[in-house]
Amino acid sequence: MSGNRAVVYSKPGSVEVRNTDYPDLVLKDGPGVNPLNVGRKCEHGVILKVVTTNICGSDQHMVRGRTTAPSGLILGHEITGEVIEVGRDVEFIKKGDLVSVPFNIACGRCRSCKERNTNVCLNVNPDRPGSAYGYVDMGGWVGGQSEYVMVPYADFQLLKFPDKEQAMEKILDLTMLSDIFPTGYHGAVSAGVRPGSTVYVAGAGPVGLAAAHSAQLLGAAVVIVGDLNAERLAQAKSFGCETVNLRENGDLAGQIDQILGSPEVDSAIDCVGFEAHGHGKSHGEAPATVLNSIMEVTRAGGSLGIPGLYVTGDPGAVDEDSKIGTLKIRFGLGWAKSHTFVTGQTPVMKYHRDLMMAILSGRAQIAKAVNATLISLNDAPKAYQDFDRGVSRKFVIDPHGLVK
């Protein structure tokens, strides 16, 4: 078989669908591929026919030109697919299996992986711990917003769905297992959400909505979602969240007080990251806003889950410090309140099997919560534009027209 089509970052504000190489079980040279990874043999890997692959807010950071991503980078780290070719060293995954791919690439052999910290695998990225498909400075593993993709370390990483027919009926939910659902869930778990908790979620984009739904699954009594976008707040309200519009009223603590009778919550989750804006009608970009505000509104002894992306290189930042990830954070406030901070990539494999069972049993309704919207591969460039404008949808690409 030869030929492939993929969504490619071309320049700031622009993606294209291009013809590209059919994947091989060798990591070849290309845009963003670390030179030390070129020629890496992956007989432990598989080739997938992509069934669904999602557009993520993390992709949008690159497309906006807010990272050092090179032109020509094939995008996409949220991948679900059917195995059509297996490497020589793959023992348990078989052709025909329908699988979810964790966005973290992990070898299963290093100290981090053995301790279930697959988000910081030591063997897949020559520059630093941790890797991902189709993402800048992550080792150069080719992205999955494409018709076909190669996935290494298949036996360790892949989550096989137990029944293909049942899985295809719930594919818009199950496609969220590669990243967004575990990421939102990890944010809620990291924030210490438990039955009876009051929770503030900063950001009503797809990850924020996933975190809010996860907090509900964990038994939170009240989940409050804050954003500047009224359409996204309406989506949060549609599945039972309280909401605060920070464009209309920048007093976060005051709005929380009106809802709870107290200006503080037990737990808070940052689902915004480094492109955060200040609050109020005349807001501008202020990257430390969310971190400082969640410290303000979280009770003493509470925890802060921070799945929102923060980077070490942002060429479009508002000041020189922010360009290298140095933000003006009120760390003294967090120290004084004995806050616990949990940051970094989500270790997807800690959660994805349990969340799969929650979906298959009908307990979790993640596609509904994030407003999953199916599109074709050709529709991807417009979907990126719509997502950048703030529409309240989670775009799911169906490259082969396989989803009913």
Side-chain angles (χ1 to χ4, degrees), residues 69-93:
S71 178
L73 183 74
I74 295 176
L75 299 168
H77 55 270
E78 301 190 19
I79 308 164
T80 305
E82 180 183 3
V83 177
I84 59 173
E85 181 181 337
V86 297
R88 178 195 61 211
D89 300 332
V90 177
E91 185 175 1
F92 304 112
I93 294 292

Side-chain angles (χ1 to χ4, degrees), residues 255-341:
Q255 291 195 74
I256 289 175
D257 192 17
Q258 289 179 353
I259 295 168
L260 298 177
S262 165
E264 292 187 324
V265 292
D266 297 317
S267 305
I269 310 168
D270 172 5
C271 298
V272 178
F274 73 101
E275 285 193 68
H277 281 236
H279 301 162
K281 293 183 179 180
S282 59
H283 68 86
E285 189 168 315
T289 296
V290 171
L291 294 172
N292 287 328
S293 65
I294 62 176
M295 285 190 281
E296 178 189 355
V297 301
T298 301
R299 67 173 176 82
S303 296
L304 313 177
I306 309 173
L309 175 67
Y310 289 87
V311 295
T312 56
D314 175 9
V318 293
D319 56 55
E320 292 303 312
D321 282 342
S322 299
K323 287 181 179 179
I324 57 171
T326 301
L327 308 182
K328 294 181 179 179
I329 299 170
R330 293 186 65 197
F331 190 72
L333 176 61
W335 189 93
K337 296 178 81 171
S338 295
H339 284 157
T340 298
F341 299 75

